[in-house]
């Protein structure tokens, strides 16, 4: 039997491997060129969040003197060293890929240049742009005895400037100043084209500022200008039980986040030693220094690609979401849902149906109440507008807004205030628990009785991400699901005794135990010599008890297929422990976000939709929801979706016992790409 250091893969090291898979998409020449640039942007954004939350948390443990190993066998200090080594290697690869992408873009007529590379006419245009647009918003900040080191905002781009007085003596120490590159302006500046050239040319804003930096320091000579960027600890530390007003407490924490402890310092390669030492001393950051050979923070590439008109040959083929055809033949969505459950698969099917459902409920005189959860909402949410209209029309509207959704706190606070102003009852969830469940309940009066209409989903009520993420939504008027939905809202919004769920599994009360029972049922079938099979699709798997339960099932002969996009702490394929488990990850055009669970159940197959990943935080520290799909036809559609993922041999990688991923080998002469095949959903749903 092969021996491994630990039965488990470390969560954070597994995350690094996930981001490496994203980077591989940027490196894959089979992907359209502009899409490769977008993947480079995603790698940077992912790394920012990882550093500001996960690495920051490990540093907190190290400062607290913790030396205990986690369940994967790592101490905080040992894990930190391993993470920084792998992250450093990834950043090196990322910028090598960036240079390759830039070279390829130049061949297509999209050129990112330095100011020095421009001709005289172009330099004149850039000079005009600087003096008319950029110069008025710049604020040079000197550092000396009378002016202390200024606040450096997290994840903002700055220039460190070293200066000499024009009359300075040779041995005099340089003067130090910083200039923030204004994020209110576009990071990429278009340059008028050269004569008889069809190329589109751009320069970066920091390069423009550096070119004219002397205009900010009259009487001084800048002799070194180097970009830098700081990442701070962004985790909120809330005293929810002691807070009289959770909204005010979160607003205070958001202000404190600006002063979070420095976690990572990124500097341009070749930074002047005096400037670097000054930054490290003032910011009190000794380790976690990244020297970058290229522009800092490649997340700007997402907007850059989005701003380029045309070039359809360098992008994915456009895919317009179709409106669910179940609703095409009727103006009354309630009538349709009364007759049958409706499944939606985003982004192939439009999220507009959810917006329309709430809007119809807002204006329907027979609708008495609307209740829903909001976790991450888009900037211009049609849903929020519809809820406000419903409240203004006299409906009882209750909205559970999760204020602690990381990095969306400010937006959610704004939505909460807008909803309250419109007359909605806004609830901020339960103390100590994030409300992550995705559920919408409409109570309607029909023929002297009340009927409940429910929408449950695997993703957020966000029309923007619904075009970028793969998620499942289910409309139903099933009375058992409606009863559970009412009970769930009663538990979240008021005092309610523990409820015996008829259909739902709800965290943190019984979701984990229900999953354990379903896994144990497959295990018992396997031990009895019957076919036993589990397919589970999710974003992350890291809960130790859940992993042990899956190991136990594997050892009993249960076939287990896991489709885990990101973190996976389970080590598959180990003889005697997990030889019956396979783990796949798909990274492609859309972010795989759906959580779907399948249990063979002796041939009486069961399928569940869920908001929860199999992580400790989801199973124990959040309000999460798992809902069965009762309709046999819809169950078969979801089983087909899972099989599509398992058949992917283009964008799927398989997790090996080593903890590393390998691309799935081609199974036939015709490559099979599950996200492209998923376009056939309308055929599966009987709408050929």
């Amino acid at each position: 039997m092969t021996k491994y250091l630990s039965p488990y893969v470390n969560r954070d090291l597994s995350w690094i491997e996930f981001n490496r898979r994203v980077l591989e998409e940027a490196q894959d020449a089979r992907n359209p060129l502009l899409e490769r640039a977008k993947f480079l942007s995603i790698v940077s954004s992912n790394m920012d969040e990882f550093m500001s939350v996960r690495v920051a948390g490990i540093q907190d443990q190290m400062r607290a003197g913790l030396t205990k190993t986690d369940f994967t066998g790592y101490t905080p200090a040992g894990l930190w060293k391993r993470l920084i080594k792998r992250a450093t290697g990834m950043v090196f690869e990322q910028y090598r890929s960036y240079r390759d992408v830039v070279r390829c873009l130049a061949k297509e007529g999209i050129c990112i240049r330095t100011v020095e590379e421009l001709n005289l006419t172009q330099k004149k245009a850039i000079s005009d742009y600087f003096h008319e647009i950029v110069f008025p918003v710049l604020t040079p900040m000197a550092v000396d005895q009378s002016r202390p080191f200024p606040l450096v905002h997290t994840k903002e781009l700055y220039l460190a400037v070293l200066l000499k007085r024009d009359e300075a003596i040779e041995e005099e120490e340089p003067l130090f100043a910083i200039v923030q590159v204004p994020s209110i302006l576009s990071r990429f500046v278009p340059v008028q084209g050269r004569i008889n050239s069809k190329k589109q040319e751009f320069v970066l804003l920091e390069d423009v500022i550096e070119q004219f930096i002397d205009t900010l320091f009259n009487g001084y000579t800048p002799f070194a200008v180097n970009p830098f960027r700081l990442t701070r600890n962004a985790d909120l530390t809330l005293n929810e039980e002691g807070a009289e007003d959770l909204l005010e407490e979160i607003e205070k924490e958001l202000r404190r986040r600006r002063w979070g402890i420095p976690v990572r310092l990124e500097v341009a390669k070749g930074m002047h030693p005096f400037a670097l030492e000054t930054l490290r001393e003032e910011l009190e950051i000794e380790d976690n220094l990244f020297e970058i050979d290229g522009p800092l923070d490649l997340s700007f590439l997402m907007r850059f690609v989005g701003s380029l008109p045309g070039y359809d040959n360098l992008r994915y083929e456009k895919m317009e979401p179709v409106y669910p055809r179940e609703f095409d033949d009727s103006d009354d969505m309630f009538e349709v849902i009364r007759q049958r459950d409706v499944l939606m698969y985003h982004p192939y099917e439009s999220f507009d149906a959810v917006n329309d459902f709430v809007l119809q409920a807002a204006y329907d005189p027979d609708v008495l109440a609307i209740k829903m959860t909001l976790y991450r909402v888009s900037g211009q949410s049609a849903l929020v507008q519809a809820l406000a209209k419903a409240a203004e029309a006299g409906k009882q509207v209750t909205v559970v807004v999760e204020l602690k959704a990381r990095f969306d706190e400010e937006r959610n606070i704004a939505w909460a205030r807008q909803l309250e102003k419109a007359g909605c009852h806004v609830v901020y969830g339960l103390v100590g628990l994030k409300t992550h469940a995705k559920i919408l309940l409409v109570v309607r009066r029909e023929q002297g009785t009340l009927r409940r209409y429910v929408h449950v989903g695997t993703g957020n009520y966000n029309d923007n991400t619904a075009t970028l993420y793969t998620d499942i939504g289910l409309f139903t008027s099933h009375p058992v699901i409606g009863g559970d939905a009412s009970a769930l809202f009663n538990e979240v919004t008021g005092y309610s005794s523990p409820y015996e769920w008829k259909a739902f599994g709800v965290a943190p009360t019984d979701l984990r135990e229900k999953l354990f029972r379903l896994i144990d049922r497959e295990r018992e079938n396997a031990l009895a010599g019957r076919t036993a099979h589990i397919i589970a699709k999710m974003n992350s798997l890291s809960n130790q008890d859940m992993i042990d339960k899956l190991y136990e099932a594997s050892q009993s002969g249960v076939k287990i297929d896991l489709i885990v996009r990101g973190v996976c702490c389970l080590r598959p394929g180990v003889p005697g422990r997990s030889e019956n488990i396979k783990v796949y990850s798909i990274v492609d055009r859309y972010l795989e976000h759906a959580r779907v669970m399948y249990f063979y159940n002796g041939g009486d197959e069961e399928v569940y939709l869920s908001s929860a990943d199999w992580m400790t935080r989801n199973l124990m520290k959040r309000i999460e929801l798992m809902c069965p799909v009762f309709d046999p036809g819809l169950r078969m559609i979801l089983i087909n979706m899972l099989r599509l993922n398992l058949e992917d041999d283009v964008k799927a990688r398989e997790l090996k016992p080593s903890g590393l991923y390998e691309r799935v080998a081609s199974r036939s002469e015709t490559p099979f790409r599950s996200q492209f095949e998923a376009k056939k959903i309308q055929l599966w749903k009987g709408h050929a």
Side-chain angles (χ1 to χ4, degrees), residues 144-199:
D144 55 27
Q145 290 180 335
S146 63
R147 288 169 289 200
F149 199 86
L151 171 65
V152 174
H153 294 281
T154 186
K155 295 185 285 192
E156 294 286 347
L157 185 60
Y158 290 83
L159 298 177
V161 186
L162 295 182
L163 306 126
K164 288 183 178 179
R165 294 185 180 87
D166 290 348
E167 304 299 328
I169 58 176
E170 192 66 31
E171 296 80 15
E172 191 171 87
E173 188 175 84
L175 300 171
F176 184 86
I178 67 173
V179 178
Q180 183 175 354
V181 177
S183 55
I184 197 171
L185 299 178
S186 174
R187 178 84 181 273
F188 45 92
V189 182
V191 183
Q192 65 183 47
R194 300 166 193 251
I195 298 174
N196 298 325
S197 173
K198 294 182 179 180
K199 292 182 177 180

Side-chain angles (χ1 to χ4, degrees), residues 104-115:
C104 293
L105 286 172
K107 293 177 182 177
E108 298 290 343
I110 304 168
C111 304
I112 300 177
R113 302 194 183 281
T114 64
V115 174

Side-chain angles (χ1 to χ4, degrees), residues 2 294 517:
T2 306
R517 289 195 298 272

Side-chain angles (χ1 to χ4, degrees), residues 631-686:
D631 183 284
L634 299 188
R635 278 204 303 270
M636 187 51 61
I637 289 171
L638 289 168
I639 293 169
N640 284 336
M641 290 177 184
L642 293 173
R643 287 173 178 161
L644 278 186
N645 287 164
L646 294 175
E647 291 172 13
D648 194 309
D649 58 7
V650 177
K651 294 300 183 180
R653 282 87 163 172
E654 184 177 356
L655 177 59
K656 297 300 181 179
S658 63
L660 301 178
Y661 287 78
E662 294 180 6
R663 286 188 180 272
V664 172
S666 296
R667 300 184 178 98
S668 67
E669 293 181 2
T670 305
F672 189 88
R673 192 169 176 179
S674 59
Q675 288 195 359
F676 282 30
E677 294 298 319
K679 295 176 184 178
K680 298 176 181 176
I681 181 172
Q682 293 295 344
L683 297 177
W684 304 343
K685 293 172 71 173

